[in-house]
Amino acid sequence: MGTGMGLLGLSTAEEDIYRHFLRNPETSADDIHLRIHSAKDKDTVRAALDRLYGLGLLRRSDTGDVVPADPETAVDRLTDLRLRELHDELQQVTQSRRLVAELRAEQGLRTPAPKGVERMEDLAQIRDRIDDLAFFAREEILSVEPYTALTQENIDHARPLDARCLRRGVTIRNVVLKAALDHPPTVAYLRELTAQGARIRVAPDISERILVYDRHTALVPADPDDTSRGALVAREAGLVANILALFEKIWDQATDLAALIEEPAEGAAGLSAVEQRVLESMCRVGKDETGARDLGVSVRTYRRHVADLLRVLNASSRAHAALLARERGWI
């Protein structure tokens, strides 16, 4: 058999068994080791079957026969699982920062900044560190950015990192300066991000520059009046907590981007464009994976929008939400 699914973490035996049941759905697993390959013993096949059941790639019908998951669902599940595994492995690698002090000691250099705070003065290194933190973020990225315009270079650099985070279900909350809304390319990119699931708010007067990753690493300017003097990278829990509190205060006082640049969808009582698309998708398709793929967002982000819509509609279920939305003329 082919090894295509091996890239997604399946063994040869597991892939052979899954493919067998795709060709022969709702058949028994009895003597499967004889039917797929004579060289595979019963123990190997039993272990493979157990893992496939655990992954949800196979299930038993009411009659006891084996039913395979739809290939699209199977590949989506395996891809998400493999990405999480790879991300965890990479996260462990990046947590080896303690080696820097040891290597500096070997080199005879002065030890770095006090534990929990690192000062970086090279702007290229700061940009690289920001890229690394975004790449390895697992849950949430928070930012306050008082720029008045993004250059095309800024946008081209940020787009793949932002899209990758949102596809993986990382929450992005961003506060920008209201003056940035006067720059069409910047507004277009902010619209693009919100369509993918980012949450963006606008403040009329902000000077703070804040970046926080997964609520444990924060970046702020070393000199708020002169960003060219470098940045402080904080991991000390108390410092990060205070930076988080400042972010939340700014966030609470800011206005949703959609309220300033986007007309409410017709008849949708103020739903944003992405919420309207999720509502229509929720009523049209049965699988979250399919709806998320159609909208170009992660399954987690799609489900978060669904939960928000259920709350807005005061619906007890998706079917109830669809009924209420139709009654109100939202779809």
Side-chain angles (χ1 to χ4, degrees):
M1 289 293 179
T3 58
M5 298 183 79
L7 295 173
L8 300 178
L10 289 192
S11 68
T12 301
E14 291 162 354
E15 180 173 356
D16 286 349
I17 291 171
Y18 175 69
R19 287 176 180 267
H20 167 83
F21 285 111
L22 283 178
R23 295 191 302 269
N24 305 280
E26 298 190 27
T27 57
S28 171
D30 295 341
D31 298 325
I32 184 66
H33 64 289
L34 297 176
R35 281 188 267 173
I36 62 168
H37 201 298
S38 60
K40 291 181 172 63
D41 58 44
K42 288 185 177 182
D43 290 340
T44 299
V45 170
R46 175 50 54 192
L49 282 168
D50 288 343
R51 184 160 186 262
L52 290 169
Y53 288 133
L55 292 170
L57 269 65
L58 297 180
R59 65 176 178 83
R60 294 187 183 278
S61 68
D62 293 339
T63 61
D65 291 333
V66 178
V67 180
D70 178 79
E72 183 177 334
T73 300
V75 170
D76 283 348
R77 287 180 181 174
L78 291 174
T79 299
D80 287 345
L81 178 62
R82 187 62 181 142
L83 286 174
R84 286 198 299 269
E85 291 172 347
L86 290 171
H87 183 268
D88 289 343
E89 292 173 13
L90 290 170
Q91 190 76 3
Q92 292 175 18
V93 172
T94 60
Q95 288 172 352
S96 301
R97 294 291 301 168
R98 64 183 183 277
L99 292 176
V100 174
E102 297 175 13
L103 294 172
R104 284 180 178 274
E106 293 287 342
Q107 193 181 27
L109 297 178
R110 189 168 51 127
T111 56
K115 180 181 179 182
V117 179
E118 177 186 2
R119 180 165 185 152
M120 303 182 68
E121 297 182 352
D122 184 276
L123 296 182
Q125 290 181 347
I126 293 171
R127 285 193 294 268
D128 289 344
R129 179 64 61 82
I130 290 173
D131 288 350
D132 287 345
L133 288 168
F135 186 87
F136 294 114
R138 302 181 64 179
E139 299 293 336
E140 184 178 53
I141 299 175
L142 310 176
S143 62
V144 177
E145 301 176 278
Y147 55 74
T148 57
L150 290 173
T151 67
Q152 191 58 48
E153 181 183 1
N154 294 149
I155 294 171
D156 292 343
H157 180 78
R159 179 177 279 118
L161 284 170
D162 289 338
R164 180 183 181 277
C165 288
L166 292 166
R167 281 198 306 270
R168 291 189 294 113
V170 175
T171 297
I172 291 181
R173 286 196 286 156
N174 179 213
V175 182
V176 301
L177 194 61
K178 187 176 182 180
L181 302 188
D182 295 329
H183 186 244
T186 298
V187 173
Y189 185 59
L190 295 177
R191 284 177 179 269
E192 180 181 326
L193 289 178
T194 57
Q196 295 178 62
R199 300 176 62 193
I200 298 175
R201 290 189 177 180
V202 178
D205 184 20
I206 50 174
S207 58
E208 295 86 355
R209 295 177 184 271
I210 297 172
L211 285 168
V212 186
Y213 300 87
D214 290 337
R215 296 186 167 258
H216 61 59
T217 303
L219 274 79
V220 295
D223 182 348
D225 296 324
D226 185 0
T227 57
S228 67
R229 298 186 62 182
L232 298 178
V233 183
R235 297 184 182 84
E236 195 70 44
L239 290 175
V240 175
N242 279 286
I243 293 170
L244 280 169
L246 176 58
F247 171 85
E248 295 295 351
K249 180 179 179 180
I250 295 170
W251 176 262
D252 289 342
Q253 295 174 351
T255 303
D256 282 339
L257 176 69
L260 298 177
I261 66 171
E262 190 173 64
E263 290 296 324
E266 184 178 352
L271 294 184
S272 69
V274 67
E275 288 172 332
Q276 183 68 28
R277 291 171 62 200
V278 170
L279 177 61
E280 293 168 358
S281 176
M282 183 178 72
C283 298
R284 186 180 68 253
V285 302
K287 296 180 180 178
D288 289 349
E289 292 82 2
T290 302
R293 187 176 58 256
D294 290 345
L295 270 64
V297 300
S298 72
V299 175
R300 183 184 299 179
T301 297
Y302 181 84
R303 288 172 177 164
R304 185 171 66 244
H305 283 304
V306 170
D308 289 342
L309 287 167
L310 293 180
R311 186 167 54 253
V312 168
L313 286 160
N314 194 27
S316 58
S317 66
R318 297 185 186 204
H320 187 202
L323 178 62
L324 291 173
R326 290 190 178 96
E327 288 177 349
R328 299 178 189 184
W330 290 13
I331 53 175

